[in-house]
Amino acid sequence: MAASMALRRELCSLARIFSNISPLAPRALSACSAHRRFNIIRSRLPSTSSTSFHTATVFSSTLSSVTVTEEPDSLFQKVSVLVKGHDKAVLDSYEFFATMAAKELGISISKVYEPHKDTERLTLLKSIHIFKKHRVQYEMRTYYRCIELSHITGCTAQVYLEYIQRNLPEGVAMEVTKTTMEKIPDHILEPMWKDHPVDDKPSQ
Amino acid sequence: MASHTCKTFLSLGRINVPGLGLQKTASRAAYATGLPVNTSAGNKGLPDRSGRGSSVRKPKRDVGEPRTKKMPVDQDWTAVYPAATPFRQDSIPLPVRMGYPVKGGVPPEKKGNLELIKIPNFLHLTPAAIKKHCEALKPMCTEWPSTLDTDAKCDEHFPIKAESTDYVSAGPSVRNPSARIVHLKVKLSSLNLDEHARKKMLKLVGERYSKDTDILTITTDSCPLRQQNYDYAMYLLTVLYHESWKTEAWEAEKTVADMEEYSWEDSPSQRNILDVLVRMKVVGEGEGQDVREQLLGRKEVQEYKDSVTRLKNEGESEDAMLQYKEAVKKVFNL
């Protein structure tokens, strides 16, 4: 039961995407049209995702509240997650968590690397009045960690990023760079002057 | 004394009205006044309250043994730490030590250790917890289409790439103005352009085109929202495409200086070499156009033309200069 449900959901997701790539897989499209009718309701990720999963009873309710809509899923060629923090150990733990979550959700990780840290140093006067020769020095270090994911769909990216961001520890910032892939829109396929030949107006 | 009593009475008077309803210790803790509370004065004001004063405290409960002693080894840790919580030294059965070591000793233990409480912990994100979360999140994910496995195929079917950045950080505001910037990247080879349209497009676009990768990058940040910037970038692409297919009247006035590539016909180089060859009387006596055309048809002259064109278009390099040298030697029979 669960296997067939998963299969149908996968086929429908493929249908959503393949409806745009018609030359690629006509067979899959015709197979999916039979399975298009679903009565499952999509819900947003519950806000207490990290708190309510220690009991087994919650699982069944979450499974039944997923909708499948007809709008095509967006495709990301690359999603780059850069986390910045002051403490390297925290970033190490976060990297372990993020990579494990990506593996569990079946997302392909292309690269995980550590850019060089940035240090901002200040030399200030130690005393509020005179004593110019006595100073105090501070430094602020920002450590970075970058996780690059490739070939990820819009739904999966949304789910994964929301999960990652809700469990972002305090004092850590994140930048997510997404590269979406799109087809050429219809109005750029052919120049409009072919159908409606325009006599050359002097350009302004 | 009287005034003092008066003051305390006032303070107690403030407490009295709600205090009577609530009873006992909660209200006493909530109303801290700056005025000193005198035991003797207090008794006068509240005959019904027993033992109110600084000497009597509420009875303390015993601490009891820490929870760690009662934890079984195979317990469900996700139930102990289901959400992000500060470090509770009684709930974690690990002998953790943190901090600067005492001289000649070890870092302080976890009991009463502020360093362990300050640092964010990942106790709620153990591998077991992550697996559970991902199991619940799996139904909401979709599969990547298996036919688009290489970048080349992605570029072939989906040539337009739109790139933007989201920012997550703590601060007075959630918004980041840099999040509105959109970069649109297209490979010109995937657009339907003919020769004239391509050249015109390159001239219109200027700096935004990179010759090495054949990628046109349009960066928009003039609108306040990302959706608006994306629409504007697509609009710019559309306009560029259609305008480059148009041929205006003034385009006929294109001079040699406007040309993108060097062409040898009607260039000073061609005139020079033909003049030199005619003077050298290579073909014998005869003047006029047919002699020049005859010269042009010769193989050495063609090779010379190729070498000069290569030098001008690709720039100077060892190979190009050698090729030019060979061609010149052949033309002059050296």
PDB file of all heavy atoms in Angstrom, chain B residues 41 74 78 92 100 103 138-139 162 174 178-179 220 250 256 318 321:
ATOM      1  N   ALA B  41       7.213  45.802  62.265  1.00  0.00           N
ATOM      2  CA  ALA B  41       6.200  46.645  61.627  1.00  0.00           C
ATOM      3  C   ALA B  41       5.259  45.778  60.812  1.00  0.00           C
ATOM      4  O   ALA B  41       4.064  46.031  60.719  1.00  0.00           O
ATOM      5  CB  ALA B  41       6.890  47.679  60.749  1.00  0.00           C
ATOM      6  N   ASP B  74      19.387   1.854  26.593  1.00  0.00           N
ATOM      7  CA  ASP B  74      18.754   1.815  25.275  1.00  0.00           C
ATOM      8  C   ASP B  74      17.543   2.720  25.204  1.00  0.00           C
ATOM      9  O   ASP B  74      16.590   2.441  24.497  1.00  0.00           O
ATOM     10  CB  ASP B  74      18.349   0.365  24.955  1.00  0.00           C
ATOM     11  CG  ASP B  74      17.473  -0.207  26.063  1.00  0.00           C
ATOM     12  OD1 ASP B  74      17.334   0.463  27.122  1.00  0.00           O
ATOM     13  OD2 ASP B  74      16.930  -1.311  25.895  1.00  0.00           O
ATOM     14  N   THR B  78      15.643  10.806  21.514  1.00  0.00           N
ATOM     15  CA  THR B  78      14.848  11.871  20.887  1.00  0.00           C
ATOM     16  C   THR B  78      13.707  12.314  21.800  1.00  0.00           C
ATOM     17  O   THR B  78      13.174  13.409  21.637  1.00  0.00           O
ATOM     18  CB  THR B  78      14.255  11.383  19.560  1.00  0.00           C
ATOM     19  OG1 THR B  78      13.529  10.187  19.800  1.00  0.00           O
ATOM     20  CG2 THR B  78      15.345  11.101  18.557  1.00  0.00           C
ATOM     21  N   ILE B  92      21.960  14.750  30.865  1.00  0.00           N
ATOM     22  CA  ILE B  92      22.884  14.230  29.859  1.00  0.00           C
ATOM     23  C   ILE B  92      23.883  13.305  30.523  1.00  0.00           C
ATOM     24  O   ILE B  92      24.713  13.727  31.320  1.00  0.00           O
ATOM     25  CB  ILE B  92      23.589  15.402  29.153  1.00  0.00           C
ATOM     26  CG1 ILE B  92      22.545  16.129  28.311  1.00  0.00           C
ATOM     27  CG2 ILE B  92      24.706  14.912  28.263  1.00  0.00           C
ATOM     28  CD1 ILE B  92      22.853  17.534  28.068  1.00  0.00           C
ATOM     29  N   TYR B 100      38.520  26.588  30.515  1.00  0.00           N
ATOM     30  CA  TYR B 100      39.969  26.666  30.650  1.00  0.00           C
ATOM     31  C   TYR B 100      40.396  25.813  31.843  1.00  0.00           C
ATOM     32  O   TYR B 100      39.821  25.925  32.912  1.00  0.00           O
ATOM     33  CB  TYR B 100      40.391  28.124  30.855  1.00  0.00           C
ATOM     34  CG  TYR B 100      41.861  28.317  30.660  1.00  0.00           C
ATOM     35  CD1 TYR B 100      42.401  28.360  29.385  1.00  0.00           C
ATOM     36  CD2 TYR B 100      42.712  28.404  31.749  1.00  0.00           C
ATOM     37  CE1 TYR B 100      43.751  28.516  29.199  1.00  0.00           C
ATOM     38  CE2 TYR B 100      44.062  28.562  31.572  1.00  0.00           C
ATOM     39  CZ  TYR B 100      44.576  28.614  30.290  1.00  0.00           C
ATOM     40  OH  TYR B 100      45.922  28.756  30.111  1.00  0.00           O
ATOM     41  N   LYS B 103      44.824  25.327  37.007  1.00  0.00           N
ATOM     42  CA  LYS B 103      46.288  25.186  36.865  1.00  0.00           C
ATOM     43  C   LYS B 103      46.738  23.796  37.300  1.00  0.00           C
ATOM     44  O   LYS B 103      46.480  23.354  38.417  1.00  0.00           O
ATOM     45  CB  LYS B 103      46.977  26.228  37.745  1.00  0.00           C
ATOM     46  CG  LYS B 103      48.469  26.320  37.492  1.00  0.00           C
ATOM     47  CD  LYS B 103      49.045  27.536  38.181  1.00  0.00           C
ATOM     48  CE  LYS B 103      50.563  27.516  37.980  1.00  0.00           C
ATOM     49  NZ  LYS B 103      51.222  28.606  38.688  1.00  0.00           N
ATOM     50  N   LYS B 138      10.180  12.964   3.974  1.00  0.00           N
ATOM     51  CA  LYS B 138      10.293  12.321   2.658  1.00  0.00           C
ATOM     52  C   LYS B 138       9.056  12.450   1.765  1.00  0.00           C
ATOM     53  O   LYS B 138       9.191  12.708   0.572  1.00  0.00           O
ATOM     54  CB  LYS B 138      10.570  10.834   2.830  1.00  0.00           C
ATOM     55  CG  LYS B 138      12.001  10.370   2.567  1.00  0.00           C
ATOM     56  CD  LYS B 138      12.486  10.649   1.209  1.00  0.00           C
ATOM     57  CE  LYS B 138      13.722   9.814   0.921  1.00  0.00           C
ATOM     58  NZ  LYS B 138      14.373  10.175  -0.288  1.00  0.00           N
ATOM     59  N   PRO B 139       7.833  12.286   2.267  1.00  0.00           N
ATOM     60  CA  PRO B 139       6.668  12.373   1.378  1.00  0.00           C
ATOM     61  C   PRO B 139       6.532  13.726   0.694  1.00  0.00           C
ATOM     62  O   PRO B 139       5.897  13.829  -0.346  1.00  0.00           O
ATOM     63  CB  PRO B 139       5.480  12.143   2.310  1.00  0.00           C
ATOM     64  CG  PRO B 139       6.039  11.474   3.482  1.00  0.00           C
ATOM     65  CD  PRO B 139       7.434  11.892   3.628  1.00  0.00           C
ATOM     66  N   ALA B 162      18.493  31.343 -13.843  1.00  0.00           N
ATOM     67  CA  ALA B 162      18.236  32.528 -13.024  1.00  0.00           C
ATOM     68  C   ALA B 162      18.831  32.271 -11.648  1.00  0.00           C
ATOM     69  O   ALA B 162      18.513  31.281 -11.001  1.00  0.00           O
ATOM     70  CB  ALA B 162      16.746  32.765 -12.892  1.00  0.00           C
ATOM     71  N   VAL B 174      14.360  40.882   9.439  1.00  0.00           N
ATOM     72  CA  VAL B 174      14.534  39.628   8.716  1.00  0.00           C
ATOM     73  C   VAL B 174      14.988  39.892   7.280  1.00  0.00           C
ATOM     74  O   VAL B 174      15.617  39.062   6.660  1.00  0.00           O
ATOM     75  CB  VAL B 174      13.200  38.855   8.714  1.00  0.00           C
ATOM     76  CG1 VAL B 174      13.333  37.548   7.993  1.00  0.00           C
ATOM     77  CG2 VAL B 174      12.748  38.608  10.131  1.00  0.00           C
ATOM     78  N   SER B 178      19.966  42.759  -0.308  1.00  0.00           N
ATOM     79  CA  SER B 178      20.710  42.096  -1.373  1.00  0.00           C
ATOM     80  C   SER B 178      19.955  40.913  -1.938  1.00  0.00           C
ATOM     81  O   SER B 178      20.360  40.352  -2.948  1.00  0.00           O
ATOM     82  CB  SER B 178      22.059  41.596  -0.863  1.00  0.00           C
ATOM     83  OG  SER B 178      22.687  42.568  -0.113  1.00  0.00           O
ATOM     84  N   ALA B 179      18.871  40.518  -1.303  1.00  0.00           N
ATOM     85  CA  ALA B 179      18.144  39.349  -1.771  1.00  0.00           C
ATOM     86  C   ALA B 179      17.344  39.643  -3.028  1.00  0.00           C
ATOM     87  O   ALA B 179      16.817  38.715  -3.641  1.00  0.00           O
ATOM     88  CB  ALA B 179      17.207  38.845  -0.675  1.00  0.00           C
ATOM     89  N   THR B 220      20.065  42.271 -12.661  1.00  0.00           N
ATOM     90  CA  THR B 220      19.100  43.338 -12.388  1.00  0.00           C
ATOM     91  C   THR B 220      18.994  43.517 -10.890  1.00  0.00           C
ATOM     92  O   THR B 220      18.831  42.552 -10.147  1.00  0.00           O
ATOM     93  CB  THR B 220      17.708  42.966 -12.916  1.00  0.00           C
ATOM     94  OG1 THR B 220      17.498  41.579 -12.715  1.00  0.00           O
ATOM     95  CG2 THR B 220      17.601  43.268 -14.388  1.00  0.00           C
ATOM     96  N   TRP B 250      20.111  52.886 -40.635  1.00  0.00           N
ATOM     97  CA  TRP B 250      21.471  53.377 -40.419  1.00  0.00           C
ATOM     98  C   TRP B 250      22.490  52.262 -40.285  1.00  0.00           C
ATOM     99  O   TRP B 250      23.698  52.526 -40.250  1.00  0.00           O
ATOM    100  CB  TRP B 250      21.511  54.297 -39.199  1.00  0.00           C
ATOM    101  CG  TRP B 250      20.796  53.787 -37.996  1.00  0.00           C
ATOM    102  CD1 TRP B 250      19.568  54.169 -37.582  1.00  0.00           C
ATOM    103  CD2 TRP B 250      21.258  52.802 -37.070  1.00  0.00           C
ATOM    104  NE1 TRP B 250      19.220  53.488 -36.452  1.00  0.00           N
ATOM    105  CE2 TRP B 250      20.240  52.637 -36.104  1.00  0.00           C
ATOM    106  CE3 TRP B 250      22.414  52.043 -36.945  1.00  0.00           C
ATOM    107  CZ2 TRP B 250      20.351  51.753 -35.042  1.00  0.00           C
ATOM    108  CZ3 TRP B 250      22.533  51.155 -35.888  1.00  0.00           C
ATOM    109  CH2 TRP B 250      21.495  51.022 -34.954  1.00  0.00           C
ATOM    110  N   VAL B 256      34.411  50.055 -41.670  1.00  0.00           N
ATOM    111  CA  VAL B 256      35.386  48.999 -41.365  1.00  0.00           C
ATOM    112  C   VAL B 256      35.729  49.010 -39.881  1.00  0.00           C
ATOM    113  O   VAL B 256      35.958  47.963 -39.273  1.00  0.00           O
ATOM    114  CB  VAL B 256      36.654  49.214 -42.227  1.00  0.00           C
ATOM    115  CG1 VAL B 256      37.726  48.217 -41.853  1.00  0.00           C
ATOM    116  CG2 VAL B 256      36.309  49.073 -43.699  1.00  0.00           C
ATOM    117  N   GLU B 318      53.081  32.582 -31.258  1.00  0.00           N
ATOM    118  CA  GLU B 318      54.221  31.948 -31.944  1.00  0.00           C
ATOM    119  C   GLU B 318      53.789  31.314 -33.264  1.00  0.00           C
ATOM    120  O   GLU B 318      54.377  31.542 -34.310  1.00  0.00           O
ATOM    121  CB  GLU B 318      54.808  30.849 -31.041  1.00  0.00           C
ATOM    122  CG  GLU B 318      55.731  31.361 -29.973  1.00  0.00           C
ATOM    123  CD  GLU B 318      57.102  31.738 -30.501  1.00  0.00           C
ATOM    124  OE1 GLU B 318      57.468  31.288 -31.620  1.00  0.00           O
ATOM    125  OE2 GLU B 318      57.793  32.497 -29.824  1.00  0.00           O
ATOM    126  N   MET B 321      52.753  33.829 -35.997  1.00  0.00           N
ATOM    127  CA  MET B 321      53.888  34.532 -36.606  1.00  0.00           C
ATOM    128  C   MET B 321      54.668  33.601 -37.528  1.00  0.00           C
ATOM    129  O   MET B 321      55.109  34.009 -38.610  1.00  0.00           O
ATOM    130  CB  MET B 321      54.819  35.080 -35.512  1.00  0.00           C
ATOM    131  CG  MET B 321      54.225  36.192 -34.693  1.00  0.00           C
ATOM    132  SD  MET B 321      53.617  37.566 -35.663  1.00  0.00           S
ATOM    133  CE  MET B 321      55.118  38.369 -36.128  1.00  0.00           C
TER     134      MET B 321
END
